[in-house]
Amino acid sequence: MSKELSHVVILGSTGSIGKQALEVIDMHADRFKVVGLAARDEIDELAGQAEKYRPAMVAIGEAGCYQPLRHRLGNKYHVVAGIEGMCELAGQDDVDVVLVAVSGAIGILPTLAAIKRSRRIALANKETLVAAGEIVMSMAHTHHAPIIPVDSEHSAIFQCLAGESDHLRNIWLTASGGPFRDRGYEELAGVTVDMALQHPNWKMGPKITVDSATLMNKGLEVIEAHHLFAVPYDHIKVIIHKESVIHSMVELVDGAFLGHLGVADMRIPIQYALSYPRRLPSPAQALDFSQLGCIHFQAPDLKRFPLLGIAYEAGRLGGTLPAAINAANEVAVHKFLGGEISFLDITRLVETVMNAHENVTQPSLEDVFTADSWARGHCHEVVKKGKTI
Ligand code: MG
């Protein structure tokens, strides 16, 4: 690196990944400087972060929060709002790394804004690749913008694949199985929001924690891996490994497996994406194998967790279908968290959208957004009319 201090923009700084990224930055204040922060609508927390880190620019996603934030911060800060503001923040001058840690498809445009400026992208937002993978990866290639995954599985694979891409046989994504891995399908009908938010291993935001409980998270990760590593779906495998010690593996043509092991602490992959290609000491605990005992593996059960199979199918069919099921899942999870629908309704809603969607192959960005908003509207309509529920 030409300079010692790396300038970092964090999109989604008040979320789980964003806050853990700031912990990493606090620990390495001599290496990283925060030059941009963005959040959706958490005014107080964002303002507190801005006062602490004094970035060049602050963005608030909800336009209605702009005035209260301006009022709170005064004239000392450059405050921008809405999706345009997030894009301005991501594409500003003098930035080395843009951490995209917002939740949902809202991450697409700011990611593209940063890619167009050839910034390094630390990508924690899997929906960007799920919905618009081909467009994003081809633009990253054109603009020489490296994409370093933050998702723990993809960070693991990225590291295991270094220098081995030509020898790859299969990618093995590990999955904890979530809090309901040992429950029968009928038992899943009665699970509550609180139960779904108790992830056994990882500390994450509510949307992704529910996605882990349905295994949709792993399905989205399969599509994410397909785009990130340009690997066909037949060569992306999922294995349930409840201890989350192996964060994922690559299987090479000679039969060797390379795995990435460690404690389940998101600060490790976040820090790697920020410091890449260097490695720095981490505040995470070391893994103590002598205390580990057994680790387990089992094939995923697609009957109990059909969203994993649905995501594979949508990924294989491609076009706008992944964008549509991703949007449907976002709406469904939101409705589940809000107490509007049951846990099993999440799957039903995504399936309904999958069946009703008119797929557009080789989509433009506009097609992707059209599919996204169609799927959201369709979900609301279905729930309102009680068609499936
Ligand atoms: Mg993951």
Side-chain angles (χ1 to χ4, degrees):
M1 274 201 279
S2 57
K3 62 185 170 192
E4 203 56 27
L5 203 59
S6 185
H7 288 190
V8 182
V9 165
I10 303 180
L11 301 173
S13 61
T14 58
S16 174
I17 296 285
K19 285 196 269 197
Q20 292 180 78
L22 289 171
E23 279 178 39
V24 166
I25 287 170
D26 286 344
M27 191 180 164
H28 301 289
D30 55 335
R31 300 267 185 184
F32 302 112
K33 176 172 168 48
V34 176
V35 295
L37 293 169
R40 185 181 48 198
D41 57 5
E42 298 82 358
I43 297 170
D44 285 340
E45 195 164 10
L46 181 60
Q49 290 177 344
E51 281 158 354
K52 177 174 176 186
Y53 295 97
R54 305 199 164 272
M57 205 185 293
V58 181
I60 188 91
E62 289 288 337
C65 298
Y66 174 75
Q67 284 303 344
L69 182 65
R70 271 238 68 108
H71 182 70
R72 165 77 199 268
L73 285 175
N75 292 327
K76 285 175 289 180
Y77 297 87
H78 183 185
V79 182
V80 292
I83 192 74
E84 300 78 13
M86 307 267 277
C87 291
E88 191 182 341
L89 184 86
Q92 67 175 307
D93 293 336
D94 202 18
V95 171
D96 298 296
V97 189
V98 176
L99 172 63
V100 184
V102 291
S103 171
I106 194 160
I108 297 173
L109 286 175
T111 304
L112 290 176
I115 286 173
K116 284 180 193 156
R117 300 295 309 269
S118 306
R119 306 302 184 216
R120 191 204 312 163
I121 312 293
L123 190 64
N125 171 275
K126 63 190 58 149
E127 291 89 347
T128 292
L129 287 180
V130 169
E134 268 147 40
I135 297 167
V136 171
M137 292 309 289
S138 118
M139 210 177 265
H141 184 74
T142 305
H143 293 275
H144 306 287
I147 296 188
I148 316 296
V150 172
D151 209 347
S152 62
E153 294 80 357
H154 305 78
S155 174
I157 293 160
F158 181 86
Q159 294 173 61
C160 293
L161 264 184
E164 300 287 3
S165 300
D166 292 345
H167 314 124
L168 182 72
R169 183 186 285 163
N170 290 309
I171 280 175
W172 286 85
L173 290 171
T174 52
S176 72
F180 308 136
R181 100 189 125 225
D182 300 321
R183 286 178 189 248
Y185 187 78
E186 296 72 26
E187 286 178 87
L188 293 176
V191 307
T192 63
V193 171
D194 282 347
M195 288 155 83
L197 290 180
Q198 300 303 315
H199 195 279
N201 302 348
W202 293 96
K203 177 185 151 201
M204 304 180 293
K207 158 58 168 69
I208 188 173
T209 304
V210 174
D211 284 346
S212 296
T214 61
L215 286 198
M216 183 57 159
N217 182 52
K218 208 51 53 180
L220 298 176
E221 287 180 356
V222 167
I223 301 175
E224 186 186 3
H226 166 77
H227 292 296
L228 263 176
F229 306 114
V231 172
Y233 286 98
D234 285 348
H235 293 276
I236 303 173
K237 315 282 184 187
V238 171
I239 186 84
I240 305 290
H241 160 48
K242 67 181 181 184
E243 291 84 4
S244 298
V245 167
I246 301 176
H247 298 149
S248 278
M249 300 177 280
V250 297
E251 177 188 352
L252 305 178
V253 288
D254 61 359
F257 281 72
L258 304 182
H260 180 289
L261 286 70
V263 292
D265 187 324
M266 283 308 296
R267 292 176 299 181
I268 298 175
I270 292 168
Q271 178 173 296
Y272 182 76
L274 293 180
S275 70
Y276 173 83
R278 296 182 178 189
R279 288 185 189 268
L280 301 172
S282 166
Q285 279 186 327
L287 178 62
D288 182 353
F289 277 85
S290 68
Q291 298 298 312
L292 199 56
C294 298
I295 56 173
H296 299 81
F297 302 95
Q298 86 190 70
D301 181 350
L302 298 187
K303 287 208 175 72
R304 283 189 298 137
F305 300 102
L307 283 178
L308 176 57
I310 287 174
Y312 261 108
E313 197 186 337
R316 284 196 170 99
L317 291 169
T320 49
L321 204 47
I325 64 149
N326 172 61
N329 181 61
E330 269 185 54
V331 173
V333 170
H334 189 73
K335 286 185 182 297
F336 169 67
L337 289 169
E340 260 187 89
I341 63 171
S342 75
F343 183 75
L344 290 180
D345 287 337
I346 299 173
T347 302
R348 293 187 191 117
L349 212 42
V350 175
E351 258 177 336
T352 303
V353 164
M354 172 108 167
N355 294 333
H357 183 61
E358 287 178 23
N359 199 11
V360 178
T361 51
Q362 310 241 304
S364 65
L365 202 52
E366 203 184 331
D367 294 329
V368 168
F369 288 129
T370 303
D372 178 284
S373 65
W374 169 83
R376 285 168 205 273
H378 193 68
C379 276
H380 290 302
E381 199 183 313
V382 167
V383 173
K384 205 167 149 193
K385 293 184 179 165
K387 278 186 190 163
T388 63
I389 322 271

